[in-house]
Amino acid sequence: RRAVLGRALKLSQMCNSSALRVRHADRVVVDESWSPDAPSEMYALMRRGETPAGEPIEDVGSLQKSLVALLVAVGRGRKRLRNDMSVSDLLGSGWSRSPESEAQIRIHHLLSMTSGLDTDLGFEAPPGEVWRYNTAAYSQLISVLETVSGESIDTITHDWLANPIGMQHTQWIQRDWGSPDQINRIGLQTTASDLERLGRLILAGGQWRGTEVVPGDEIGACLRASQTLNPAFGELWWLNGGERFLTPYPGVGGEGPYFPAAPADTVAALGVLDRHLMVTPSLGLIVVRLGDAVEAERPIAGARFMRQLWRIVMRGISEADPME
C-alpha cells in the first residue's frame, strides 16, 4: 500500500501540486506539501503563505462556490432562505443587466447555474432554460447571504461552518490582483487540511462530532443533480456517475461520468489551477489536491492527471490492510 500511495505522491509532485491529502476509513493515509517548481504567475498571486506547520495557504478560486452552497444550505435550515425566493426581493432591482428576466430569477437558478444570464449579467435566455457556468451570477449568492444574515461573508463562514468543524486557516480575502472589473473580487483562502475537514462533513451528512452543522436534507440537496440540463451539477457541487456532463468551458462536455476513474457516488468541489476536493461516501474517501495547473497552457489537461491519480489511489486503498 505504501508503495502504491508513494506513486500518488510522486505523480502529484511532478504535476505542479503544492499539497496532496488523502483520507480513507477515518485515517489520513497521504499528507504532503511542496513548493511547485517554476510556479506560474497566477499561482504566485494565489498562494497566500503558509501555516506555522508549513502547509500552503491558497486562494482556491472557484472551489469557493461549493462552500457557499453549504452556507446557503445552513441558511435554508435556519429558515432564512428558500430556493424559490426571488433574488430581486433580497437584493433589490437592478442587480443584473437583464430587466426583462431579473424578477423571475430565483435562488435555485443561481445555485444550479441556470439563471439565463450571460457572464455580463445580461439576458441570454429565460431562467431555467440554459445551463451556463457563470461566476458573475453565482457571486450574487454572497450578497444574498450577507443580506439575510446582516453579517459579512467572512463572519458567516466562520460562525456557520469553519469554527464548528475546526477550519482554522480558512477566510475570505479581498483580491489584490486582476482588473478592477474582475467578476469576483473576493477569494476564499484555505488549506488542504481544512478542505479535508469539509470533506469529512460531507461524509457525515452534515454532522460534526454529534452536532448538526448542516441539516442532512439540505446537504443532500447540494449533492443531487439540481436540474436536467447538466446532470453532473448539483448545487455548486460537481457530481459523478451520470450519463453525460458539461464543464465550465463553453461547448466542452462528454458522455458518461465526469470523473471516469472515480466511483459513481463521488462529488467534487473544483477550482482554478486544477485544485479539487473530492469525496466518495461509499469508500469513506477524501482526496484534496492544491497547487499550480498541471499544464499551464491547457486548462483542461488536469482531467488526465485526475484520472491517473484516482487509478493509483483506488489501487492503494484496495490493497489496504485493515490491521495496518
Side-chain angles (χ1 to χ4, degrees), residues 13-190:
Q13 186 176 18
M14 289 173 55
C15 291
N16 296 330
S17 301
S18 63
L20 180 68
R21 191 172 177 94
V22 179
R23 185 181 183 92
H24 176 238
D26 293 326
R27 292 182 56 197
V28 175
V29 295
V30 174
D31 180 17
E32 191 62 78
S33 60
W34 311 270
S35 294
D37 295 331
S40 68
E41 182 179 354
M42 176 65 78
Y43 179 76
L45 289 169
M46 299 182 79
R47 180 146 175 156
R48 305 292 301 182
E50 296 181 351
T51 69
E55 187 178 12
I57 301 171
E58 298 177 10
D59 176 342
V60 290
S62 285
L63 201 149
Q64 65 169 258
K65 292 180 173 71
S66 299
L67 180 140
V68 167
L70 297 182
L71 295 176
V72 172
V74 175
R76 291 194 303 248
R78 297 184 180 191
K79 309 303 181 185
R80 300 191 187 189
L81 282 173
R82 299 189 316 276
N83 273 12
D84 63 356
M85 280 183 169
S86 164
V87 178
S88 295
D89 285 350
L90 296 168
L91 300 186
S93 61
W95 62 269
S96 78
R97 298 178 182 177
S98 178
E100 60 267 60
S101 69
E102 182 179 275
Q104 285 74 53
I105 299 174
R106 301 293 188 260
I107 299 298
H108 164 72
H109 296 124
L110 301 185
L111 289 166
S112 61
M113 298 290 186
T114 59
S115 66
L117 301 175
D118 63 24
T119 54
D120 292 322
L121 299 183
F123 179 82
E124 181 180 42
E129 293 192 6
V130 172
W131 189 88
R132 174 189 283 276
Y133 189 83
N134 192 332
T135 295
Y138 143 78
S139 298
Q140 307 309 309
L141 288 170
I142 294 173
S143 298
V144 164
L145 286 164
E146 292 181 332
T147 297
V148 300
S149 68
E151 302 285 355
S152 71
I153 188 64
D154 197 52
T155 298
I156 298 164
T157 299
H158 281 93
D159 291 351
W160 292 11
L161 193 59
N163 287 347
I165 70 173
M167 297 174 72
Q168 298 181 7
H169 302 289
T170 297
Q171 68 181 89
W172 291 88
I173 54 166
Q174 289 292 322
R175 288 172 169 159
D176 54 5
W177 50 269
S179 62
D181 60 349
Q182 183 171 304
I183 290 173
N184 192 355
R185 293 297 300 168
I186 65 171
L188 182 76
Q189 68 176 37
T190 188

Side-chain angles (χ1 to χ4, degrees), residues 218-284:
E218 299 295 351
I219 208 169
C222 296
L223 307 178
R224 295 192 297 268
S226 56
Q227 30 62 55
T228 58
L229 298 164
N230 184 5
F233 201 73
E235 290 184 343
L236 303 177
W237 281 81
W238 294 93
L239 315 178
N240 207 31
E243 296 181 355
R244 58 188 173 85
F245 63 89
L246 299 173
T247 75
Y249 307 99
V252 179
E255 301 298 319
Y258 200 140
F259 316 108
D265 64 330
T266 301
V267 299
L270 304 179
V272 70
L273 306 182
D274 303 314
R275 279 77 168 271
H276 58 262
L277 159 65
M278 300 179 71
V279 183
T280 305
S282 62
L283 298 177

Side-chain angles (χ1 to χ4, degrees), residues 298-312:
R298 300 182 61 189
I300 62 172
R304 293 197 300 274
F305 161 75
M306 289 171 65
R307 284 196 296 271
Q308 203 170 347
L309 177 65
W310 268 87
R311 290 189 185 105
I312 295 171

